[in-house]
Amino acid sequence: MTMNRNTLALIALAISAFAIGTTEFISVGLLPLIADDLHIGLSTAGLTVTLYALGVTLGAPILTSVTAGMPRKMVLLGIMIVFIIGNGLAATATGIGLLLMARIISALAHGIFMSIGSTIAASLVPEDRRASAISIMFSGLTIATVTGVPIGTFIGQHLGWRVAFIVIVAIGVIALIANALLIPARMEQGQRSGGWRAQTKLLTTSRILMALVVTALGYGGTFVVFTYLSPLLHEISGFAPSRVALLLLFYGIAIAIGNVIGGRLANRNPVGVLLRMFIVQALVLLLLWWTAPYAGIGLATVLLMGLFAFMNVSGLQVYVLMLAERYVPQAVDMASALNISAFNAGIAIGAYLGGLVVDHLGLIHTTWVGALMVAAAAILTAVLRAGEKQEHVAGQGNIVEADAHNRSDAKATSGSACSASTTSLFR
């Protein structure tokens, strides 16, 4: 019964993540349509991605702190209502100003949902399955990328981009109902943040800070390219606009496969697995620099990029939670929120850099710039891995030293007892 209830709770989280993931990434497919309809440049339309990510970055830790200790189910229902309002405003926007405001409102719901959702998902399963549980929740994001973004792009191309946001509102209502029905009552009580002292310790623990930077760089590097993937496929690889939606579907399938693989690989040794993932992803992005102008091999490289794009998500989230439990156990929810912020800071940085590159260098150059970001994450991950190994060796040394000390004490005790016995005997 418990397993069934836990599974239903994970399904509810995945449905909500699907709704939120659809609105987060749908701008990627709608970017050319928004730019044409509102008579703005491609990089200006790209602000719908950048400002959304910034809204999540700022909203996640602030709102998580404000709602700490509140009933989690009530918070989830409230943020889904905000999500519906935000996307409803986007559907009615006639100018870039209102559209950007609507995106920021939707983003506030996103940040706190992913923060609370991650800790709920991790608490529903045994410790050695937390990465898998988090990957189930994040599968809503990957399914959104597989189906939501391509279908939203298709709807936008045939019915207008505003209709795509109306459909997202409908998905949000379904997610609201799923949360109301499927999140169990025992998840009601939220975790208090531990006060400013705990939060300050969280922000001053060097290993946690470095892990957050790794999240931003490693996850965000791909978004230098992904934000402008639709125009890249059309203008560089030569695919017709009518085929881009189908290609985004294939890209989303690759992301979904990578997410599942990443969740399984990162259960036991997340930092080691992340290092290998980042190295391969940096090489793939660099390879795309050469292959993008050729339709067949370029598409194959894009799909390979998709395979590794979300593969690191579960590992990054579970590693930060592990560090928080080790160093600041009373601020795990806040650590989760900060890592969600780091994910979206990476998206914002990647999307903004992509816009600059598109304006000043050209679409094709987004590839190697993204590769540099991911390579930087790989270097920092190697530093973290070395620190973990040193800590492990030091821990083993302490155990050996304690063992030797205990044996010495035991011998001393034994010697004293023997001496006392001998003395007794000769008395």
Side-chain angles (χ1 to χ4, degrees):
M1 176 67 78
T2 300
M3 181 59 69
N4 289 338
R5 290 184 64 185
N6 290 348
T7 302
L8 290 176
L10 289 173
I11 290 172
L13 295 173
I15 292 171
S16 302
F18 172 79
I20 288 171
T22 300
T23 198
E24 178 179 20
F25 297 127
I26 198 168
S27 287
V28 172
L30 299 177
L31 222 56
L33 301 173
I34 293 172
D36 289 343
D37 182 61
L38 300 181
H39 307 293
I40 55 178
L42 200 59
S43 59
T44 303
L47 289 174
T48 58
V49 178
T50 304
L51 291 186
Y52 185 96
L54 282 176
V56 179
T57 302
L58 298 174
I62 293 172
L63 293 179
T64 299
S65 181
V66 169
T67 59
M70 291 175 61
R72 280 176 172 164
K73 187 168 184 178
M74 182 182 75
V75 174
L76 286 175
L77 295 178
I79 61 182
M80 290 314 299
I81 291 171
V82 172
F83 171 84
I84 292 167
I85 293 171
N87 284 283
L89 286 174
T92 63
T94 56
I96 188 64
L98 181 58
L99 179 59
L100 293 179
M101 184 187 301
R103 294 289 288 164
I104 292 171
I105 291 171
S106 301
L108 295 177
H110 178 137
I112 188 171
F113 168 79
M114 289 301 173
S115 168
I116 292 175
S118 293
T119 51
I120 290 176
S123 69
L124 289 169
V125 295
E127 186 174 341
D128 63 348
R129 293 183 56 206
R130 290 185 302 175
S132 294
I134 291 172
S135 75
I136 290 174
M137 189 199 79
F138 275 101
S139 70
L141 288 176
T142 58
I143 293 170
T145 308
V146 174
T147 59
V149 174
I151 292 174
T153 303
F154 180 82
I155 292 171
Q157 288 173 342
H158 291 83
L159 300 174
W161 61 268
R162 291 178 182 82
V163 177
F165 280 103
I166 292 173
V167 172
I168 291 174
V169 170
I171 297 171
V173 172
I174 294 171
L176 176 64
I177 295 171
N179 280 326
L181 295 178
L182 300 178
I183 297 296
R186 67 185 180 85
M187 299 304 302
E188 287 288 324
Q189 187 60 45
Q191 178 204 56
R192 294 198 177 273
S193 62
W196 289 110
R197 183 174 296 179
Q199 294 179 36
T200 301
K201 185 178 179 182
L202 194 66
L203 293 169
T204 54
T205 302
S206 60
R207 192 166 294 180
I208 293 176
L209 286 177
M210 189 177 293
L212 295 175
V213 174
V214 167
T215 295
L217 294 175
Y219 184 70
T222 302
F223 278 82
V224 178
V225 182
F226 179 58
T227 304
Y228 298 93
L229 186 58
S230 290
L232 185 142
L233 289 170
H234 172 51
E235 297 177 23
I236 304 297
S237 300
F239 291 101
S242 58
R243 299 185 65 183
V244 169
L246 181 62
L247 298 181
L248 289 175
L249 174 63
F250 292 146
Y251 182 86
I253 292 171
I255 283 180
I257 294 170
N259 178 66
V260 173
I261 293 172
R264 291 179 179 175
L265 290 177
N267 272 322
R268 295 189 180 277
N269 179 28
V271 71
V273 171
L274 285 170
L275 177 59
R276 291 188 285 273
M277 289 177 183
F278 289 144
I279 291 172
V280 175
Q281 180 69 326
L283 292 174
V284 169
L285 288 168
L286 194 60
L287 179 65
L288 186 59
W289 187 23
W290 286 291
T291 62
Y294 308 99
I297 192 171
L299 178 60
T301 310
V302 165
L303 295 179
L304 196 58
M305 179 182 86
L307 184 68
F308 285 90
F310 275 32
M311 192 180 284
N312 55 44
V313 169
S314 299
L316 288 167
Q317 188 72 355
V318 79
Y319 183 57
V320 169
L321 291 178
M322 283 171 55
L323 290 176
E325 288 170 355
R326 187 187 307 170
Y327 297 112
V328 200
Q330 65 271 46
V332 172
D333 268 357
M334 181 55 63
S336 176
L338 287 172
N339 204 42
I340 295 300
S341 291
F343 278 117
N344 285 276
I347 295 174
I349 293 167
Y352 181 71
L353 278 180
L356 291 178
V357 171
V358 169
D359 282 345
H360 297 93
L361 298 175
L363 276 168
I364 189 65
H365 297 285
T366 57
T367 53
W368 63 264
V369 173
L372 287 178
M373 278 185 68
V374 178
I379 293 170
L380 291 178
T381 304
V383 174
L384 284 169
R385 188 188 188 196
E388 292 285 339
K389 285 184 175 180
Q390 287 178 0
E391 191 172 278
H392 178 72
V393 170
Q396 292 293 98
N398 289 337
I399 292 172
V400 171
E401 189 179 338
D403 242 8
H405 184 68
N406 289 338
R407 283 187 191 134
S408 176
D409 284 350
K411 283 180 181 176
T413 304
S414 174
S416 297
C418 191
S419 175
S421 293
T422 304
T423 304
S424 265
L425 184 64
F426 282 97
R427 279 177 185 171

